[in-house]
Amino acid sequence: MATEEHSDGLTFHPMDQFKIQPLFREIEPGSCVPAEDIVHGCLKWYEPTNATLWMGLTLLAIFALFVLGTRGRAIIPSRLQSVAELGYGFVHKMVEDVAGKDGLKFFPYIFTLFCFIVFSNFLGLIPGALTTTSHIAVTAFMAVAVFLTVTLVGFVKNGAGFLGLFWVSSAPLALRPVLALIEVISYFVRPVSHSIRLAGNMMAGHAVIKVFAAFAPLVLISGIGIAVTPLSILAIVAMYALEILVAFIQAYVFTILTCVYLKDALHPHH
Amino acid sequence: MANTTTEAAGAVTEATGHAAEAAGHAAQSAGMPQLDFSTFGNQIFWLAVALALIYFVLTRVALPRIGGILADRQGKITSDIAAAEELKLKAEAAEKAYNQALIDARAEANKIVAEARAEIQKDLDKATAKADAEIAAKAAESAKRIEEIRAGAAENVAVVAKDTAEAIVAALGGKADVGAVADAVASRLKG
């Protein structure tokens, strides 16, 4: 039945929303096939794309909240200023609680990541928007940056003592080499899980919404649509509510994991 | 002939182009855009730019400002609490002073009342004494007058008795001995 409906005219392109496209031109079909060494039509690294647009809007939103919103510097804050203060306090407390007082040096970096992710996630919920954080390139860049920073900080702060992170001194001696191997592997898997968790969550929810959206016009095509269309619209609403939750939670998870990794770098001993 | 060859060649090129186009389109639309590596460089470049700008805006303007606001608020709250504490101490001191003043005033009032009472008592005593003295003088005078009256009355009684006795004696036909009558009356009055 489903296949019939496909051919009838329902179009499923749940992944099209993630396409990166140049803002001021169309990529000629066939002008970018790297497998066949045709790259003259490919995206140039400096070209402004829809990703550029939505990252720019993220920047503007952050500017509006944290700079324009706090313009008054009021002792008794305006609404916007309390939201800005809330965000500041939220991340500040998280860094302090998880990574400790000496982790606060890294608060601006962590806050930058948190702001970018949370605003990208929420802007991505606007219909027609590109969710930049649903792209593995974006999340992997951030996760690798965190990984490299944390590893560097670990070695600079503790020298070779940082390797103690992998040497579980509370375990029986015989088990320690095995555990060390597992710890090392899990350490290097960190950036992978860190980035895929965020991109995967953002992508999956948006794709599911798109699939439900594709079912919505069924009422125009077939009688069964009388039942399917309201259901799919309801499902879109429910998914959207869930996505609002996910948008915040995934930003929170990315940030708190960054704090945990930072804690390991600052205090590597179990 | 040459024309046809060119045409044929053109057609072949066109066909190849179409095929490539179709293949490219398929490749682009089939997979996940997330795995289209030709966009990675672009995304990472713009991400780096965006993160750098966000970091710049936050560290140069937003974070110092919000940190300042929070510190100011904390300072204001602390200083307000200290000021309130001070005012409370002042109020307590003022209350103590007020109570002390009240006690003092009450004591003063009691003293004044006692003094006034003593003065009045003195005046009263003086007046009483004066009145007593006057009363005593008047009483003494009255007693004297009563004594005088009493003495006068006794004398009169003696005279009347003598005269009466003489009259009775005369009526009985005798001749009264004045001296004897007087002695008899006097003795009778004493007895």
Side-chain angles (χ1 to χ4, degrees):
Chain A
M1 190 182 73
T3 37
E4 269 171 31
E5 278 155 12
H6 279 232
S7 54
D8 263 352
L10 284 188
T11 49
F12 286 85
H13 294 299
M15 304 310 276
D16 278 7
Q17 58 177 324
F18 303 117
K19 268 188 186 161
I20 305 288
Q21 276 153 345
L23 281 180
F24 305 115
R25 69 180 178 99
E26 288 269 328
I27 290 185
E28 296 287 324
S31 64
C32 180
V33 188
E36 295 171 30
D37 269 343
I38 306 172
V39 292
H40 64 273
C42 279
L43 210 51
K44 304 286 189 293
W45 60 271
Y46 51 82
E47 255 181 307
T49 60
N50 49 350
T52 315
L53 172 69
W54 287 99
M55 285 175 187
L57 290 175
T58 303
L59 172 64
L60 281 185
I62 290 170
F63 185 83
L65 177 60
F66 290 103
V67 176
L68 301 185
T70 58
R71 222 175 6 181
R73 295 163 208 252
I75 290 287
I76 298 162
S78 63
R79 284 182 218 176
L80 213 55
Q81 190 186 320
S82 1
V83 174
E85 285 173 13
L86 211 66
Y88 180 99
F90 178 70
V91 179
H92 197 269
K93 191 169 180 305
M94 194 198 299
V95 175
E96 195 178 346
D97 287 354
V98 177
K101 276 252 185 273
D102 43 352
L104 284 179
K105 259 200 314 263
F106 300 91
F107 167 63
Y109 299 96
I110 294 173
F111 194 59
T112 303
L113 287 179
F114 175 77
C115 287
F116 175 78
I117 296 169
V118 88
F119 276 93
S120 295
N121 289 357
F122 276 106
L123 285 174
L125 284 173
I126 298 170
L130 173 78
T131 317
T132 52
T133 40
S134 69
H135 274 271
I136 195 74
V138 169
T139 58
F141 179 81
M142 294 191 288
V144 168
V146 167
F147 178 79
L148 291 179
T149 310
V150 158
T151 309
L152 211 66
V153 167
F155 278 114
V156 168
K157 285 255 168 191
N158 308 288
F162 182 54
L163 294 173
L165 180 64
F166 308 116
W167 197 250
V168 188
S169 48
S170 58
L173 192 61
L175 273 179
R176 283 184 206 171
V178 183
L179 285 177
L181 185 66
I182 295 171
E183 290 281 336
V184 168
I185 292 171
S186 80
Y187 188 81
F188 283 97
V189 168
R190 275 177 181 184
V192 179
S193 64
H194 203 191
S195 56
I196 289 179
R197 180 181 300 112
L198 175 58
N201 269 287
M202 297 321 294
M203 185 191 75
H206 286 61
V208 168
I209 287 179
K210 205 69 173 193
V211 170
F212 282 128
F215 274 114
L218 193 64
V219 74
L220 304 174
I221 298 163
S222 138
I224 199 166
I226 292 166
V228 172
T229 297
L231 273 180
S232 58
I233 290 171
L234 208 68
I236 291 170
V237 173
M239 275 309 293
Y240 198 90
L242 186 69
E243 280 305 284
I244 289 173
L245 210 66
V246 168
F248 179 76
I249 288 172
Q250 286 307 319
Y252 173 75
V253 166
F254 193 97
T255 315
I256 204 160
L257 280 176
T258 305
C259 292
V260 170
Y261 298 162
L262 186 62
K263 187 209 82 182
D264 281 348
L266 295 171
H267 317 282
H269 302 288
H270 287 273
Chain B
M1 189 63 191
N3 260 354
T4 14
T5 324
T6 332
E7 261 172 44
V12 169
T13 329
E14 211 169 295
T16 338
H18 278 303
E21 200 174 288
H25 197 70
Q28 266 187 353
S29 62
M32 284 166 55
Q34 278 86 348
L35 298 179
D36 181 357
F37 293 101
S38 69
T39 66
F40 271 36
N42 182 284
Q43 287 191 68
I44 288 169
F45 167 67
W46 287 112
L47 174 67
V49 170
L51 286 179
L53 286 176
I54 292 169
Y55 180 76
F56 184 80
V57 165
L58 288 178
T59 50
R60 286 301 155 95
V61 190
L63 295 184
R65 187 186 286 176
I66 297 173
I69 292 168
L70 294 178
D72 279 0
R73 184 171 305 143
Q74 200 52 47
K76 175 102 175 105
I77 289 169
T78 314
S79 72
D80 279 6
I81 286 174
E85 200 64 34
E86 199 175 309
L87 287 177
K88 197 179 153 201
L89 286 179
K90 269 189 190 164
E92 271 169 8
E95 199 195 346
K96 222 160 121 189
Y98 167 77
N99 281 337
Q100 190 56 48
L102 209 61
I103 289 166
D104 286 354
R106 199 166 281 150
E108 186 72 13
N110 282 342
K111 213 168 93 191
I112 289 170
V113 166
E115 267 172 18
R117 188 171 289 152
E119 205 147 303
I120 288 167
Q121 194 61 46
K122 221 159 79 187
D123 284 357
L124 204 63
D125 285 353
K126 222 175 11 220
T128 311
K130 199 172 146 201
D132 280 354
E134 271 173 19
I135 289 165
K138 283 221 169 115
E141 201 173 311
S142 304
K144 213 165 93 190
R145 284 219 0 233
I146 289 167
E147 205 53 44
E148 272 170 19
I149 291 165
R150 188 174 286 157
E155 217 164 288
N156 289 345
V157 166
V159 171
V160 168
K162 214 163 29 171
D163 289 350
T164 310
E166 275 169 4
I168 291 169
V169 170
L172 289 172
K175 176 86 166 116
D177 184 352
V178 177
V181 170
D183 284 345
V185 166
S187 68
R188 276 307 264 265
L189 277 176
K190 262 181 210 161

